[in-house]
Amino acid sequence: MPGDLCRPDVIRRILAEHGFRFDKRKGQNFLTASWVPGRMAALFSKGQAVLEIGPGFGALTAALAGACGHVAAVEKDRRLIPILRQNLSGFDNVTLTEGDALRLDLPSLLPEGFSPAVCANLPYSVTTPLLTRLVGQGRFDPIVVMVQREVARRLAANPSTPEYGAITVFTALHADCSILFDVGPDCFMPRPAVTSSVIRLDRLPPDPARECLVPRALRIVKAAFAARRKTLLNALSAGLSLPKEAAAERLTAAGCDPSARGETLSPAQYLTLARTFTDIITG
Ligand code: SAM
């Protein structure tokens, strides 16, 4: 074992030994504060198999391996694979896959017999597409990830606030989001410009009635937030190519003011709209 993978002197030794340089485009800011992986890993137990995206040098992977039944780590940077093999050689419950988490079949990387979950310090550059993919697959529960604080606030935002957007509603239609704790720039090497937050997404209980409305609700959300400044009536009739009269009628039937803006509607109201618009939009 190479020692505490969060210790700056250990990180510097690995960097020198392997001639490794951080790649900013891959969001490589590695943790240097061991309380962070410790706190994240403490949320898991032996009955869970955890997918980790972007293990870096393996600091969070090692903490997770001690807490969970299995860890499947996916790393895009080929240079990190031999380093990870060396750093994680003491664990027999870790599998390592080289590849892009945006393209791989992620659920298939976890072994049967465990409850599938996600824990990761996500690369900033691809946080939104990765989260959309993980949440939308509806397979992982919980998803515990570190993201930029600004992204965390958007995901957990309330209606009628500047942070509330299509990604908030998308997330809320699949999971309950809570912000667990902040992690300052001093906890990373190299030091990022912004503060990060660890968030937890707990999948909503199965509900076939809600689930069949979600695709249509998301089409409505997309149209409503594509024209954030427009009234709901104008945004939906333009974005979904609907006659205004039919759209107004259904907005009113759903209890929504046609002259309100999309950002004032809660996720539950978008589900209600999906129901009242059933006959005029597919989804
Ligand atoms: N887990 C380590 C830690 O906390 O110290 C490193 C986290 S670092 C913020 C993000 C990691 O994600 C890097 O190792 C980077 O190479 C990797 N990465 C970036 N894009 C990726 C992708 N599309 N798929 C898988 N890994 C990716």
mmCIF file of all heavy atoms in Angstrom, residues 205-241:
data_model
loop_
_atom_site.group_PDB
_atom_site.id
_atom_site.type_symbol
_atom_site.label_atom_id
_atom_site.label_comp_id
_atom_site.label_asym_id
_atom_site.label_seq_id
_atom_site.Cartn_x
_atom_site.Cartn_y
_atom_site.Cartn_z
ATOM 1 N N PRO A 205 -39.286 6.474 -4.610
ATOM 2 C CA PRO A 205 -39.843 5.114 -4.598
ATOM 3 C C PRO A 205 -40.521 4.818 -5.931
ATOM 4 O O PRO A 205 -41.063 5.735 -6.568
ATOM 5 C CB PRO A 205 -40.886 5.163 -3.469
ATOM 6 C CG PRO A 205 -40.655 6.429 -2.738
ATOM 7 C CD PRO A 205 -39.883 7.358 -3.608
ATOM 8 N N PRO A 206 -40.503 3.560 -6.374
ATOM 9 C CA PRO A 206 -41.123 3.222 -7.663
ATOM 10 C C PRO A 206 -42.597 3.624 -7.688
ATOM 11 O O PRO A 206 -43.306 3.436 -6.697
ATOM 12 C CB PRO A 206 -40.981 1.703 -7.751
ATOM 13 C CG PRO A 206 -40.002 1.323 -6.699
ATOM 14 C CD PRO A 206 -39.968 2.404 -5.679
ATOM 15 N N ASP A 207 -43.038 4.221 -8.799
ATOM 16 C CA ASP A 207 -44.427 4.648 -8.950
ATOM 17 C C ASP A 207 -44.723 4.689 -10.456
ATOM 18 O O ASP A 207 -44.405 5.671 -11.136
ATOM 19 C CB ASP A 207 -44.603 6.044 -8.318
ATOM 20 C CG ASP A 207 -46.003 6.613 -8.552
ATOM 21 O OD1 ASP A 207 -46.827 5.955 -9.227
ATOM 22 O OD2 ASP A 207 -46.259 7.733 -8.071
ATOM 23 N N PRO A 208 -45.298 3.587 -10.992
ATOM 24 C CA PRO A 208 -45.500 3.502 -12.441
ATOM 25 C C PRO A 208 -46.307 4.680 -12.982
ATOM 26 O O PRO A 208 -46.034 5.160 -14.088
ATOM 27 C CB PRO A 208 -46.248 2.185 -12.619
ATOM 28 C CG PRO A 208 -45.927 1.389 -11.398
ATOM 29 C CD PRO A 208 -45.713 2.369 -10.290
ATOM 30 N N ALA A 209 -47.271 5.206 -12.212
ATOM 31 C CA ALA A 209 -48.089 6.325 -12.700
ATOM 32 C C ALA A 209 -47.207 7.558 -12.928
ATOM 33 O O ALA A 209 -47.316 8.235 -13.952
ATOM 34 C CB ALA A 209 -49.197 6.632 -11.693
ATOM 35 N N ARG A 210 -46.314 7.852 -11.958
ATOM 36 C CA ARG A 210 -45.423 9.001 -12.131
ATOM 37 C C ARG A 210 -44.441 8.741 -13.273
ATOM 38 O O ARG A 210 -44.223 9.594 -14.135
ATOM 39 C CB ARG A 210 -44.632 9.272 -10.837
ATOM 40 C CG ARG A 210 -43.760 10.525 -10.932
ATOM 41 C CD ARG A 210 -42.713 10.638 -9.821
ATOM 42 N NE ARG A 210 -41.650 9.668 -9.964
ATOM 43 C CZ ARG A 210 -41.392 8.711 -9.089
ATOM 44 N NH1 ARG A 210 -42.094 8.601 -8.001
ATOM 45 N NH2 ARG A 210 -40.418 7.836 -9.304
ATOM 46 N N GLU A 211 -43.868 7.539 -13.276
ATOM 47 C CA GLU A 211 -42.810 7.238 -14.247
ATOM 48 C C GLU A 211 -43.302 7.361 -15.683
ATOM 49 O O GLU A 211 -42.564 7.817 -16.559
ATOM 50 C CB GLU A 211 -42.248 5.835 -13.985
ATOM 51 C CG GLU A 211 -41.323 5.841 -12.763
ATOM 52 C CD GLU A 211 -41.242 4.499 -12.047
ATOM 53 O OE1 GLU A 211 -41.533 3.468 -12.675
ATOM 54 O OE2 GLU A 211 -40.906 4.501 -10.839
ATOM 55 N N CYS A 212 -44.579 7.027 -15.933
ATOM 56 C CA CYS A 212 -45.021 7.123 -17.334
ATOM 57 C C CYS A 212 -45.306 8.585 -17.718
ATOM 58 O O CYS A 212 -45.334 8.915 -18.900
ATOM 59 C CB CYS A 212 -46.153 6.156 -17.644
ATOM 60 S SG CYS A 212 -47.750 6.736 -17.206
ATOM 61 N N LEU A 213 -45.441 9.459 -16.727
ATOM 62 C CA LEU A 213 -45.645 10.881 -17.049
ATOM 63 C C LEU A 213 -44.321 11.642 -17.241
ATOM 64 O O LEU A 213 -44.289 12.713 -17.848
ATOM 65 C CB LEU A 213 -46.418 11.574 -15.908
ATOM 66 C CG LEU A 213 -47.897 11.218 -15.768
ATOM 67 C CD1 LEU A 213 -48.452 11.817 -14.479
ATOM 68 C CD2 LEU A 213 -48.698 11.718 -16.967
ATOM 69 N N VAL A 214 -43.234 11.081 -16.709
ATOM 70 C CA VAL A 214 -41.969 11.828 -16.694
ATOM 71 C C VAL A 214 -41.480 12.248 -18.091
ATOM 72 O O VAL A 214 -41.134 13.418 -18.297
ATOM 73 C CB VAL A 214 -40.878 11.061 -15.889
ATOM 74 C CG1 VAL A 214 -39.490 11.648 -16.118
ATOM 75 C CG2 VAL A 214 -41.223 11.088 -14.401
ATOM 76 N N PRO A 215 -41.460 11.358 -19.098
ATOM 77 C CA PRO A 215 -40.962 11.815 -20.410
ATOM 78 C C PRO A 215 -41.746 13.018 -20.953
ATOM 79 O O PRO A 215 -41.153 13.970 -21.480
ATOM 80 C CB PRO A 215 -41.147 10.589 -21.308
ATOM 81 C CG PRO A 215 -41.182 9.429 -20.364
ATOM 82 C CD PRO A 215 -41.820 9.935 -19.107
ATOM 83 N N ARG A 216 -43.076 13.006 -20.792
ATOM 84 C CA ARG A 216 -43.871 14.138 -21.284
ATOM 85 C C ARG A 216 -43.609 15.394 -20.434
ATOM 86 O O ARG A 216 -43.465 16.488 -20.958
ATOM 87 C CB ARG A 216 -45.366 13.791 -21.285
ATOM 88 C CG ARG A 216 -46.197 14.820 -22.039
ATOM 89 C CD ARG A 216 -47.665 14.451 -22.134
ATOM 90 N NE ARG A 216 -47.858 13.104 -22.621
ATOM 91 C CZ ARG A 216 -48.358 12.102 -21.905
ATOM 92 N NH1 ARG A 216 -48.754 12.311 -20.663
ATOM 93 N NH2 ARG A 216 -48.470 10.911 -22.416
ATOM 94 N N ALA A 217 -43.503 15.198 -19.122
ATOM 95 C CA ALA A 217 -43.197 16.332 -18.238
ATOM 96 C C ALA A 217 -41.872 16.975 -18.651
ATOM 97 O O ALA A 217 -41.750 18.205 -18.674
ATOM 98 C CB ALA A 217 -43.138 15.866 -16.784
ATOM 99 N N LEU A 218 -40.910 16.153 -19.034
ATOM 100 C CA LEU A 218 -39.600 16.698 -19.402
ATOM 101 C C LEU A 218 -39.642 17.473 -20.719
ATOM 102 O O LEU A 218 -38.897 18.433 -20.907
ATOM 103 C CB LEU A 218 -38.549 15.576 -19.454
ATOM 104 C CG LEU A 218 -38.218 14.963 -18.084
ATOM 105 C CD1 LEU A 218 -37.252 13.794 -18.225
ATOM 106 C CD2 LEU A 218 -37.639 16.013 -17.136
ATOM 107 N N ARG A 219 -40.520 17.068 -21.611
ATOM 108 C CA ARG A 219 -40.680 17.851 -22.859
ATOM 109 C C ARG A 219 -41.250 19.232 -22.523
ATOM 110 O O ARG A 219 -40.868 20.248 -23.091
ATOM 111 C CB ARG A 219 -41.622 17.123 -23.839
ATOM 112 C CG ARG A 219 -40.987 15.857 -24.424
ATOM 113 C CD ARG A 219 -41.773 15.371 -25.613
ATOM 114 N NE ARG A 219 -41.852 16.373 -26.650
ATOM 115 C CZ ARG A 219 -42.752 16.405 -27.608
ATOM 116 N NH1 ARG A 219 -43.671 15.459 -27.675
ATOM 117 N NH2 ARG A 219 -42.752 17.361 -28.502
ATOM 118 N N ILE A 220 -42.194 19.244 -21.586
ATOM 119 C CA ILE A 220 -42.806 20.516 -21.178
ATOM 120 C C ILE A 220 -41.768 21.390 -20.460
ATOM 121 O O ILE A 220 -41.659 22.590 -20.721
ATOM 122 C CB ILE A 220 -44.045 20.245 -20.286
ATOM 123 C CG1 ILE A 220 -45.100 19.467 -21.098
ATOM 124 C CG2 ILE A 220 -44.618 21.538 -19.719
ATOM 125 C CD1 ILE A 220 -46.292 18.968 -20.295
ATOM 126 N N VAL A 221 -40.981 20.762 -19.603
ATOM 127 C CA VAL A 221 -39.925 21.485 -18.863
ATOM 128 C C VAL A 221 -38.945 22.116 -19.864
ATOM 129 O O VAL A 221 -38.567 23.289 -19.734
ATOM 130 C CB VAL A 221 -39.164 20.507 -17.920
ATOM 131 C CG1 VAL A 221 -37.902 21.140 -17.365
ATOM 132 C CG2 VAL A 221 -40.081 20.039 -16.795
ATOM 133 N N LYS A 222 -38.550 21.345 -20.853
ATOM 134 C CA LYS A 222 -37.585 21.835 -21.845
ATOM 135 C C LYS A 222 -38.138 23.077 -22.551
ATOM 136 O O LYS A 222 -37.434 24.088 -22.701
ATOM 137 C CB LYS A 222 -37.305 20.724 -22.860
ATOM 138 C CG LYS A 222 -36.100 20.969 -23.707
ATOM 139 C CD LYS A 222 -35.796 19.763 -24.566
ATOM 140 C CE LYS A 222 -34.819 20.169 -25.650
ATOM 141 N NZ LYS A 222 -34.826 19.258 -26.773
ATOM 142 N N ALA A 223 -39.400 22.997 -22.949
ATOM 143 C CA ALA A 223 -40.013 24.145 -23.643
ATOM 144 C C ALA A 223 -40.142 25.340 -22.690
ATOM 145 O O ALA A 223 -39.865 26.482 -23.066
ATOM 146 C CB ALA A 223 -41.394 23.747 -24.177
ATOM 147 N N ALA A 224 -40.529 25.079 -21.444
ATOM 148 C CA ALA A 224 -40.749 26.176 -20.487
ATOM 149 C C ALA A 224 -39.449 26.906 -20.175
ATOM 150 O O ALA A 224 -39.430 28.133 -20.072
ATOM 151 C CB ALA A 224 -41.360 25.625 -19.197
ATOM 152 N N PHE A 225 -38.341 26.169 -20.022
ATOM 153 C CA PHE A 225 -37.084 26.811 -19.628
ATOM 154 C C PHE A 225 -36.251 27.270 -20.826
ATOM 155 O O PHE A 225 -35.302 28.036 -20.652
ATOM 156 C CB PHE A 225 -36.269 25.896 -18.709
ATOM 157 C CG PHE A 225 -36.830 25.839 -17.308
ATOM 158 C CD1 PHE A 225 -37.719 24.844 -16.939
ATOM 159 C CD2 PHE A 225 -36.493 26.804 -16.371
ATOM 160 C CE1 PHE A 225 -38.255 24.798 -15.661
ATOM 161 C CE2 PHE A 225 -37.026 26.771 -15.084
ATOM 162 C CZ PHE A 225 -37.915 25.764 -14.731
ATOM 163 N N ALA A 226 -36.624 26.825 -22.034
ATOM 164 C CA ALA A 226 -35.903 27.299 -23.219
ATOM 165 C C ALA A 226 -36.203 28.785 -23.414
ATOM 166 O O ALA A 226 -35.402 29.529 -23.977
ATOM 167 C CB ALA A 226 -36.319 26.514 -24.445
ATOM 168 N N ALA A 227 -37.375 29.209 -22.958
ATOM 169 C CA ALA A 227 -37.757 30.625 -23.069
ATOM 170 C C ALA A 227 -38.159 31.093 -21.672
ATOM 171 O O ALA A 227 -39.320 31.318 -21.388
ATOM 172 C CB ALA A 227 -38.915 30.757 -24.050
ATOM 173 N N ARG A 228 -37.162 31.199 -20.803
ATOM 174 C CA ARG A 228 -37.382 31.464 -19.376
ATOM 175 C C ARG A 228 -38.157 32.747 -19.099
ATOM 176 O O ARG A 228 -38.914 32.848 -18.148
ATOM 177 C CB ARG A 228 -35.997 31.540 -18.715
ATOM 178 C CG ARG A 228 -35.944 30.952 -17.339
ATOM 179 C CD ARG A 228 -34.556 31.107 -16.748
ATOM 180 N NE ARG A 228 -34.688 31.150 -15.312
ATOM 181 C CZ ARG A 228 -34.405 30.143 -14.491
ATOM 182 N NH1 ARG A 228 -33.923 29.030 -14.963
ATOM 183 N NH2 ARG A 228 -34.586 30.268 -13.191
ATOM 184 N N ARG A 229 -37.947 33.747 -19.956
ATOM 185 C CA ARG A 229 -38.586 35.060 -19.732
ATOM 186 C C ARG A 229 -40.019 35.096 -20.268
ATOM 187 O O ARG A 229 -40.776 36.012 -19.966
ATOM 188 C CB ARG A 229 -37.772 36.198 -20.387
ATOM 189 C CG ARG A 229 -36.377 36.334 -19.865
ATOM 190 C CD ARG A 229 -36.341 37.129 -18.560
ATOM 191 N NE ARG A 229 -35.492 36.468 -17.587
ATOM 192 C CZ ARG A 229 -35.789 36.326 -16.298
ATOM 193 N NH1 ARG A 229 -36.905 36.790 -15.809
ATOM 194 N NH2 ARG A 229 -34.959 35.718 -15.487
ATOM 195 N N LYS A 230 -40.364 34.126 -21.100
ATOM 196 C CA LYS A 230 -41.715 34.132 -21.689
ATOM 197 C C LYS A 230 -42.739 33.603 -20.695
ATOM 198 O O LYS A 230 -42.390 32.866 -19.768
ATOM 199 C CB LYS A 230 -41.751 33.231 -22.924
ATOM 200 C CG LYS A 230 -41.152 33.832 -24.172
ATOM 201 C CD LYS A 230 -41.477 32.926 -25.348
ATOM 202 C CE LYS A 230 -40.814 33.419 -26.620
ATOM 203 N NZ LYS A 230 -40.965 32.466 -27.711
ATOM 204 N N THR A 231 -44.020 33.917 -20.947
ATOM 205 C CA THR A 231 -45.075 33.300 -20.133
ATOM 206 C C THR A 231 -45.132 31.820 -20.491
ATOM 207 O O THR A 231 -44.688 31.414 -21.582
ATOM 208 C CB THR A 231 -46.450 33.922 -20.450
ATOM 209 O OG1 THR A 231 -46.767 33.621 -21.807
ATOM 210 C CG2 THR A 231 -46.461 35.430 -20.219
ATOM 211 N N LEU A 232 -45.714 31.035 -19.586
ATOM 212 C CA LEU A 232 -45.866 29.604 -19.858
ATOM 213 C C LEU A 232 -46.615 29.374 -21.159
ATOM 214 O O LEU A 232 -46.247 28.525 -21.970
ATOM 215 C CB LEU A 232 -46.679 28.963 -18.726
ATOM 216 C CG LEU A 232 -45.928 28.315 -17.582
ATOM 217 C CD1 LEU A 232 -46.934 27.875 -16.525
ATOM 218 C CD2 LEU A 232 -45.121 27.111 -18.078
ATOM 219 N N LEU A 233 -47.674 30.173 -21.345
ATOM 220 C CA LEU A 233 -48.502 30.000 -22.540
ATOM 221 C C LEU A 233 -47.658 30.183 -23.805
ATOM 222 O O LEU A 233 -47.674 29.334 -24.710
ATOM 223 C CB LEU A 233 -49.669 30.992 -22.524
ATOM 224 C CG LEU A 233 -50.573 30.949 -23.753
ATOM 225 C CD1 LEU A 233 -51.191 29.564 -23.932
ATOM 226 C CD2 LEU A 233 -51.684 32.004 -23.655
ATOM 227 N N ASN A 234 -46.890 31.266 -23.858
ATOM 228 C CA ASN A 234 -46.082 31.519 -25.059
ATOM 229 C C ASN A 234 -44.959 30.495 -25.207
ATOM 230 O O ASN A 234 -44.680 30.020 -26.311
ATOM 231 C CB ASN A 234 -45.506 32.940 -25.022
ATOM 232 C CG ASN A 234 -46.590 33.967 -25.297
ATOM 233 O OD1 ASN A 234 -47.639 33.636 -25.874
ATOM 234 N ND2 ASN A 234 -46.376 35.196 -24.874
ATOM 235 N N ALA A 235 -44.313 30.166 -24.091
ATOM 236 C CA ALA A 235 -43.185 29.222 -24.160
ATOM 237 C C ALA A 235 -43.662 27.847 -24.610
ATOM 238 O O ALA A 235 -43.040 27.220 -25.473
ATOM 239 C CB ALA A 235 -42.505 29.131 -22.795
ATOM 240 N N LEU A 236 -44.781 27.386 -24.061
ATOM 241 C CA LEU A 236 -45.239 26.033 -24.413
ATOM 242 C C LEU A 236 -45.831 25.984 -25.816
ATOM 243 O O LEU A 236 -45.600 25.028 -26.561
ATOM 244 C CB LEU A 236 -46.267 25.509 -23.396
ATOM 245 C CG LEU A 236 -45.788 25.364 -21.949
ATOM 246 C CD1 LEU A 236 -46.759 24.517 -21.142
ATOM 247 C CD2 LEU A 236 -44.406 24.745 -21.877
ATOM 248 N N SER A 237 -46.593 27.027 -26.197
ATOM 249 C CA SER A 237 -47.176 26.967 -27.537
ATOM 250 C C SER A 237 -46.073 27.065 -28.593
ATOM 251 O O SER A 237 -46.108 26.347 -29.595
ATOM 252 C CB SER A 237 -48.282 28.013 -27.741
ATOM 253 O OG SER A 237 -47.797 29.284 -27.455
ATOM 254 N N ALA A 238 -45.024 27.887 -28.315
ATOM 255 C CA ALA A 238 -43.922 27.977 -29.291
ATOM 256 C C ALA A 238 -43.069 26.713 -29.256
ATOM 257 O O ALA A 238 -42.811 26.091 -30.291
ATOM 258 C CB ALA A 238 -43.062 29.207 -28.985
ATOM 259 N N GLY A 239 -42.670 26.298 -28.061
ATOM 260 C CA GLY A 239 -41.724 25.182 -27.932
ATOM 261 C C GLY A 239 -42.314 23.838 -28.321
ATOM 262 O O GLY A 239 -41.582 22.943 -28.728
ATOM 263 N N LEU A 240 -43.628 23.693 -28.186
ATOM 264 C CA LEU A 240 -44.232 22.391 -28.478
ATOM 265 C C LEU A 240 -45.152 22.460 -29.705
ATOM 266 O O LEU A 240 -45.878 21.506 -29.988
ATOM 267 C CB LEU A 240 -45.019 21.894 -27.256
ATOM 268 C CG LEU A 240 -44.159 21.655 -25.997
ATOM 269 C CD1 LEU A 240 -45.007 21.570 -24.743
ATOM 270 C CD2 LEU A 240 -43.337 20.385 -26.163
ATOM 271 N N SER A 241 -45.110 23.596 -30.403
ATOM 272 C CA SER A 241 -45.924 23.816 -31.613
ATOM 273 C C SER A 241 -47.404 23.517 -31.343
ATOM 274 O O SER A 241 -48.027 22.717 -32.055
ATOM 275 C CB SER A 241 -45.437 22.949 -32.777
ATOM 276 O OG SER A 241 -44.071 23.107 -32.955
#
